[in-house]
Amino acid sequence: MSWAQSGRELPILEVVALFVREDYDRETQFIRTRVESRHVGVLGMDGSRDWARREGDAHMSTADVEARALLFQCDEHNQEQVSSGADAPTWGENVLIQSAAGGGFLNCSTVCLGDVLTCQGSTLRLEISSPRRPCHDVDKNFGSTSVRASSARAGTAGFFCRVLTEGYIASHDTLHVIQRPFPQWSLARVSEMLYGMEGCADTAAYEHFIAKLAREGRSAVLKKWPGSEAQLRFLAHLPCLATFEWKDALLKLESALDADLPDSIAVARVWHSSTGALLFVSTLGVVSLLCATLVVKRCH
């Protein structure tokens, strides 16, 4: 059952702890320093040397970096892996959150792509841009060979937000979901559909799997993809979804869908924010109709 079908209220989030990364060293990339409050700009927390801000010039556009301004982790998913307490930034997150009193159940199934969050008492406004796709260092950090793969498939490795309006955030602040434009697209569902495809998360080389699947063509993509073709196309063009590691993968799969279409078919995509409807228009049919119209006009 999706969040949209559950009838639950919008979640209210409480900040358990805030963390910044002070060191560039890759060997210490999961080590964070706890802070009580921090200003958040479009690139993230002031003074935090997060991966996207260091490596963005080489790997990502400015928009990609901005889509990863803050990394959140739900305490429920944190506690699934550790027993050392809620204050341990074991996933390398900036913000550890839990459900506020009376705020409902909080995990990757109850937060959605495009959710807009406000911070009570602050000007800060955030938009959820994507689940976090975990790299191989997650397994190294946990001393495991399965956490990365399982969290990639389930969407439990955290989620990224872009900053719509700058402001301050502090421990014990309350965050409210004030807009939910895509209630059918929980972070769990998005993760399960893309990186939950059979074989996709077996190794950390996700891009190789996506590229190979795209090369195999339309029928191979549709066989692996667990949803409809319209859903794949809808996600590939969803404005709030981060391009890096998400939309770029979906666009590769979409290109495989189009590559195998007959030359006589032109694809006209008519997107609707709630359904992602897809309209196929026959080029030959349109040309025939125009020709018939001209003949009729000449006869008159």
Side-chain angles (χ1 to χ4, degrees):
M1 178 184 293
S2 70
W3 181 92
Q5 297 170 318
S6 69
R8 287 176 284 188
E9 298 294 328
L10 294 177
I12 302 174
L13 294 56
E14 179 186 354
V15 177
V16 177
L18 301 175
F19 304 95
V20 297
R21 181 176 182 181
E22 297 181 331
D23 196 337
Y24 276 160
D25 189 351
R26 184 173 179 81
E27 295 302 314
T28 62
Q29 65 177 350
F30 281 87
I31 296 176
R32 300 289 188 272
T33 300
R34 183 168 179 172
V35 296
E36 286 305 307
S37 66
R38 192 58 59 104
H39 178 265
V40 180
V42 294
L43 297 180
M45 286 187 181
D46 290 356
S48 190
R49 299 180 175 185
D50 299 302
W51 180 83
R53 298 172 76 171
R54 300 193 325 275
E55 305 292 338
D57 289 343
H59 299 276
M60 294 177 283
S61 68
T62 299
D64 292 333
V65 178
E66 291 175 352
R68 299 166 67 98
L70 287 178
L71 175 61
F72 283 73
Q73 178 59 294
C74 300
D75 187 42
E76 176 182 329
H77 302 316
N78 195 40
Q79 295 300 328
E80 288 169 1
Q81 303 299 333
V82 297
S83 58
S84 58
D87 291 350
T90 53
W91 295 87
E93 68 270 19
N94 301 119
V95 187
L96 183 63
I97 54 173
Q98 65 184 8
S99 178
F105 196 56
L106 179 65
N107 62 21
C108 62
S109 296
T110 61
V111 286
C112 301
L113 281 180
D115 279 3
V116 175
L117 314 176
T118 59
C119 184
Q120 190 170 343
S122 171
T123 57
L124 185 65
R125 291 176 69 248
L126 308 169
E127 180 184 63
I128 296 179
S129 57
S130 75
R132 183 259 197 97
R133 192 191 75 179
C135 67
H136 67 278
D137 287 317
V138 167
D139 277 346
K140 180 180 178 181
N141 186 55
F142 283 108
S144 166
T145 59
S146 62
V147 174
R148 177 203 57 77
S150 62
S151 61
R153 297 180 184 116
T156 58
F159 61 90
F160 286 106
C161 285
R162 61 172 56 86
V163 176
L164 301 179
T165 306
E166 298 184 8
Y168 281 84
I169 190 170
S171 295
H172 310 299
D173 275 351
T174 300
L175 302 173
H176 292 266
V177 178
I178 62 166
Q179 294 178 31
R180 175 158 284 180
F182 305 108
Q184 70 274 42
W185 290 111
S186 70
L187 300 182
R189 187 184 185 204
V190 175
S191 299
E192 289 164 2
M193 293 191 78
L194 181 55
Y195 292 112
M197 284 190 298
E198 182 184 359
C200 189
D202 287 354
T203 74
Y206 307 96
E207 293 88 352
H208 295 306
F209 176 92
I210 296 294
K212 181 177 182 295
L213 181 59
R215 288 195 300 271
E216 291 173 356
R218 178 183 175 86
S219 60
V221 170
L222 293 177
K223 184 177 180 180
K224 287 282 189 182
W225 176 254
S228 68
E229 179 177 344
Q231 288 171 330
L232 191 158
R233 293 184 185 276
F234 177 68
L235 281 177
H237 295 272
L238 191 61
C240 64
L241 180 60
T243 298
F244 185 69
E245 298 181 342
W246 291 90
K247 196 179 291 185
D248 53 3
L250 290 161
L251 288 171
K252 287 179 182 177
L253 298 180
E254 184 189 45
S255 68
L257 299 181
D258 293 342
D260 289 347
L261 288 175
D263 292 338
S264 61
I265 299 296
V267 181
R269 296 167 191 164
V270 181
W271 301 106
H272 187 279
S273 62
S274 61
T275 63
L278 181 65
L279 178 64
F280 289 90
V281 179
S282 169
T283 302
L284 291 180
V286 172
V287 172
S288 298
L289 180 60
L290 291 174
C291 290
T293 301
L294 290 174
V295 170
V296 169
K297 286 185 176 181
R298 288 181 179 178
C299 289
H300 286 283

